[in-house]
Amino acid sequence: MKEFTYTVTDPQGIHARPAGELVKLAKEFSCNVNISKDGKKGDCKKIFAIMGLGIKGGMEVVLSFDGEDEDAAYEKISSFMKENL
């Protein structure tokens, strides 16, 4: 299992457009990809799970990757977060 901790830099946080892109990326991998904030966790393959966390700019999130292709998922999704959020 791998984890990536990130502080969201986009002032709008994770709104519908980037949440949709995150879901699309997560679905490319067979491993479990979860995002958590303040003890609440959501499946990155479900847009409502991400949106339900209410992640705003400046908040810290932890993404966890667990499964056979977790290394590839970690690389691609952590890059996406750094470049877009």
Side-chain angles (χ1 to χ4, degrees):
M1 184 165 132
K2 296 188 89 151
E3 286 191 347
F4 172 69
T5 302
Y6 183 71
T7 301
V8 178
T9 57
D10 185 329
Q12 295 179 4
I14 302 180
H15 51 90
R17 183 194 52 77
E21 290 177 18
L22 181 57
V23 168
K24 195 170 155 182
L25 271 177
K27 286 185 174 182
E28 292 178 15
F29 302 98
S30 62
C31 67
N32 294 322
V33 182
N34 292 299
I35 187 168
S36 59
K37 177 200 74 132
D38 298 334
K40 295 180 182 174
K41 187 161 101 172
D43 183 349
C44 283
K45 295 181 182 180
K46 299 177 181 173
I47 194 163
F48 290 113
I50 298 170
M51 297 295 296
L53 294 175
I55 301 165
K56 305 291 181 205
M59 293 183 168
E60 186 176 271
V61 295
V62 177
L63 286 106
S64 59
F65 307 86
D66 189 24
E68 68 180 55
D69 56 357
E70 66 188 37
D71 292 329
Y74 174 90
E75 292 302 321
K76 193 160 187 180
I77 293 174
S78 62
S79 292
F80 167 79
M81 295 292 287
K82 291 174 187 174
E83 293 169 12
N84 298 288
L85 296 169

